[in-house]
Amino acid sequence: MAVPAGRSVAREQGATSDVVGAAVFVGCALWALVSAAGREGRPEGVLLALLAVAAGYTCGRIAGSLATARPADGATAEGGPG
């Protein structure tokens, strides 16, 4: 599959895992709501845990994108070594 000039190959390969992860996440949230609807259970604990997982995932994605944005040659903000 040809990648357009503006897109990276790494992002193309990571899109599938993003979609699968989102589908699993939504499935877990729906399972918590449906299983609590049939009885007097309260799904807040499970939904709070899912929120914590989503926040951790988001922080990891942001940190990963910031880590790859740094210059690879070790250049500093002052203009170079020493």
Side-chain angles (χ1 to χ4, degrees):
M1 178 173 161
V3 178
R7 298 185 73 176
S8 83
V9 175
R11 184 66 193 145
E12 278 291 319
Q13 294 171 349
T16 302
S17 64
D18 287 344
V19 170
V20 171
V24 169
F25 182 77
V26 168
C28 290
L30 288 176
W31 172 79
L33 292 174
V34 168
S35 65
R39 52 194 162 104
E40 292 187 26
R42 296 177 57 174
E44 288 88 1
V46 175
L47 294 175
L48 186 60
L50 287 172
L51 180 64
V53 169
Y57 175 77
T58 303
C59 289
R61 292 293 303 247
I62 291 171
S65 68
L66 292 176
T68 58
R70 286 192 206 143
D73 61 355
T76 63
E78 289 90 29

